[in-house]
Amino acid sequence: MSTSDILIATRADNVLRLTLNRPERRNAVNDDLILRLTSAFDEASQDPDIRAIVLTGSGDRAFCSGADLTPGADTFGFDYAQPVSSYANLLRAGRRATVPVIGRINGFCLAGGMGLLAICDMAVADSTAKFGLPEVKVGLFPMQVAALLQSMLPARTFAEMCYTGEMLSAEEALVCGLVNYVAGPDELDAKTDWLVELVVSKSPTAIRRGKYALSATSGMTFEQSIAFLESQIGLMPLTGDAKEGLAAFAEKRAPKWSGT
């Protein structure tokens, strides 16, 4: 994984940590950062040794404040000859990642930052964090973010966030399911590490195949989903991790995952 000034990628054992590093702009994303994040997600999915990704922002003010709207940033410089946008492709990359993504929400999470939160499978928030979709305050609307958040949030909560642009507190985000846990500033890292360890200690093969299956069946009818998933369960015992897990269970010992 490459390291750059605006995206810091660090590796510790089986965990990849991606840190948005534009603290002077409250970690707002521009096209360069969007493309680097997209590549990082795609590369991580191809690395069998990575078992979890932690996504966070540098500093203690913001996770991500959304798109960089300063003059010259050109974040909305769409190429109208292309049918897709770079930010939408980032959301696609996050959703198709076969590695669990855990958000460490260390401050403001706004606008496009809410899209980054949405592609996280789980999240831990600082108790001082704020969450919002303020686009209507500048004459815009969270069009791309809505593709993910509309199904994650209660309809009336989502409507209020979209139409008023007002923010939620960390506790309110917890209540409506945007995050899994809220921790004090001094406990954020410990709580995030605890959740990461719960993930990486389990079968990476089971999680990889399971995340793929859940993504593939999203939006399917029940009959379509059950037909796909019943075919997937038949493949699981063929994996090395399933054989090891079942043997360890029978022998009353801790499994040694190979990721095969």
Side-chain angles (χ1 to χ4, degrees):
M1 293 297 167
S2 63
T3 300
S4 72
D5 289 336
I6 60 173
L7 178 65
I8 300 174
T10 56
R11 180 87 170 264
D13 298 323
N14 302 112
V15 180
L16 173 66
R17 187 183 182 98
L18 299 175
T19 304
L20 312 184
N21 190 36
R22 302 187 74 214
E24 74 286 355
R25 298 298 306 153
R26 294 202 299 182
N27 297 320
V29 295
N30 57 13
D31 277 352
D32 191 13
L33 181 51
I34 288 170
L35 293 175
R36 291 173 187 268
L37 269 175
T38 303
S39 295
F41 280 123
D42 284 338
E43 291 173 19
S45 292
Q46 301 304 314
D47 188 335
D49 292 327
I50 293 178
R51 299 188 183 184
I53 297 171
V54 175
L55 181 63
T56 191
S58 62
D60 56 9
R61 294 180 60 205
F63 167 69
C64 175
S65 60
D68 190 342
L69 300 180
T70 56
D74 201 31
T75 309
F76 287 104
F78 294 121
D79 180 353
Y80 291 102
Q82 298 299 322
V84 297
S85 71
S86 58
Y87 180 76
N89 275 340
L90 168 57
L91 299 185
R92 292 183 179 99
R95 283 295 295 268
R96 68 174 171 257
T98 56
V99 180
V101 182
I102 298 169
R104 175 185 174 273
I105 315 303
N106 54 308
F108 286 102
C109 179
L110 307 174
M114 291 285 286
L116 298 185
L117 170 61
I119 59 177
C120 295
D121 298 288
M122 293 166 280
V124 180
D126 188 306
S127 57
T128 64
K130 300 290 185 182
F131 302 79
L133 298 170
E135 285 88 340
V136 291
K137 294 182 178 181
V138 294
L140 300 173
F141 197 81
M143 297 292 187
Q144 297 171 104
V145 174
L148 295 173
L149 285 182
Q150 193 168 19
S151 61
M152 293 179 63
L153 285 167
R156 297 189 187 282
T157 300
F158 181 63
E160 182 176 347
M161 293 182 73
C162 286
Y163 304 148
T164 70
E166 299 303 313
M167 294 185 289
L168 299 179
S169 67
E171 287 297 333
E172 289 170 327
L174 178 65
V175 169
C176 67
L178 271 176
V179 300
N180 296 77
Y181 300 98
V182 171
D186 294 336
E187 302 168 337
L188 180 61
D189 284 329
K191 193 65 175 182
T192 302
D193 291 344
W194 168 80
L195 185 57
V196 169
E197 179 57 31
L198 287 180
V199 172
V200 300
S201 64
K202 307 308 188 299
S203 162
T205 300
I207 292 173
R208 186 186 310 117
R209 291 196 61 91
K211 186 171 179 182
Y212 162 77
L214 293 178
S215 178
T217 55
S218 177
M220 286 186 182
T221 66
F222 168 75
E223 287 298 337
Q224 292 168 331
S225 179
I226 196 67
F228 179 85
L229 293 173
E230 67 184 343
S231 68
Q232 292 296 301
I233 192 64
L235 299 174
M236 294 300 295
L238 302 177
T239 68
D241 272 8
K243 293 173 182 177
E244 165 63 11
L246 293 171
F249 178 80
E251 296 165 13
K252 296 182 173 57
R253 61 174 174 82
K256 297 178 180 180
W257 308 119
S258 65
T260 61

